[in-house]
Amino acid sequence: MEGYFAVEAKPRSWKKGLAIFGALAIIGTIAALAAFSAQKQVPLALAQIELEEGEFKSFMAFYNKQYSTEEEYQRRFRIFRDNAAYARVFNTLGETYLLGINEFSDLTAKEFSDRVSRPFDHSKVTKNVKWIESLSIPSSIDWTQQGAVTPVLNQGQCGSCWSFSAAGAIEGIWKISRGILIAVSEQQLIDCSTLYGNKGCEGGTVNYAFEYVIKNGGITSSSNYPYIGKQGTCKNYLASQKFVAISSYANVPANNVDQLYKAVAQQPVSVAVDAGQAFWQSYKSGIVSSGCGTQLDHSVLIVGYNQTNWQPYWKVKNSWGAFWGEAGYIRIAVVNGKGACGIQMMPSYPIF
Ligand SMILES: *[C@@H]1O[C@H](CO)[C@@H](O)[C@H](O)[C@H]1NC(C)=O
């Protein structure tokens, strides 16, 4: 488990991290090339594998990966090579986004989707629907630039995306209303909102988390009730030390781009997406507009949008660590109807 919480446990600048990773990869490449030219009798295919193994070893060191047996090491190396090769080929296709190596590069597509994908409860979508009547909104907004978004975290091997999405939305509206940014406790939501319909690490729904926080009269901070990435019993003595509160929540009218723009202009908004497609595993940068279904299985947080960009997009905060995607974020194209990856199907936000 250590490696999965590295981002939280020992915060280090992701830029520095990337620089180290890059340097390791370059050193590995040069070393392998030197070995290749020094002994020209090595067949090309073997030299290629050496190169890739250098890359794999840099990856293992960077993400603190350990494999218990030689067999497991070889299996993970093969999967890593396949993923790296897929990303290299994909990146030559001239798509609007790029793939790359990250923490998930030693997982098969199936292992990855088993880890991140959880069943969803849509039953609360038609309740509490609120239309926003505001006449004008900015052409772009980024709540991270307004100091209303806490650092990206890593949910690890727990299906708790819903708690990160809900926590992020609560943090946003508290900052916007009260002027203070406080990281609130995902672990409290995981341990304590079971009676409201959530299932801890087996999945949950943002609106149930909001309902719990409303009934509880607030939520404590994440430093008071820290994330451990597995469900435990509710620690009532911590859950009762409330730092942040909300009064109610609202659903954005489903499949309505205009209403979602207005909601995001107001505050960060929780959304559900279909993260079942392979690109989610290896997404590195750019704007995703296609290749995505509408089988909602993952919760994230929209923290901004940009209508003036050549391709308008939603800026989305994920909970897979700051080394995934664009420093932990993904940009998803704004398209009508259900939206790319179903992002317009189930948006909701807490009300201060
Ligand atoms: C929106 O996109 C335009 C054009 O790419 C860019 O100049 C602007 O800085 C972006 N706005 C935000 C808030 O990111």
Side-chain angles (χ1 to χ4, degrees), residues 133-163:
E133 305 297 345
S134 64
L135 295 174
S136 71
I137 56 167
S139 60
S140 71
I141 190 156
D142 182 349
W143 287 111
T144 68
Q145 290 171 7
Q146 319 283 323
V149 184
T150 56
V152 170
L153 300 175
N154 194 337
Q155 66 187 79
Q157 302 201 36
C158 168
S160 53
C161 56
W162 57 273
S163 71

Side-chain angles (χ1 to χ4, degrees), residues 201-241:
C201 290
E202 294 312 309
T205 299
V206 165
N207 287 353
Y208 294 154
F210 293 152
E211 286 175 359
Y212 161 74
V213 174
I214 294 160
K215 289 274 165 52
N216 191 56
I219 181 168
T220 198
S221 70
S222 60
S223 52
N224 197 33
Y225 197 153
Y227 189 68
I228 57 164
K230 50 185 188 242
Q231 187 176 12
T233 52
C234 179
K235 297 181 178 60
N236 287 308
Y237 61 101
L238 297 176
S240 62
Q241 294 166 22

Side-chain angles (χ1 to χ4, degrees), residues 140 306 308-309 313:
S140 71
N306 195 334
T308 54
N309 197 48
Y313 60 83

Side-chain angles (χ1 to χ4, degrees), residues 251-265:
N251 286 308
V252 178
N255 311 328
N256 187 318
V257 170
D258 183 53
Q259 281 293 310
L260 188 51
Y261 272 138
K262 287 177 175 168
V264 177

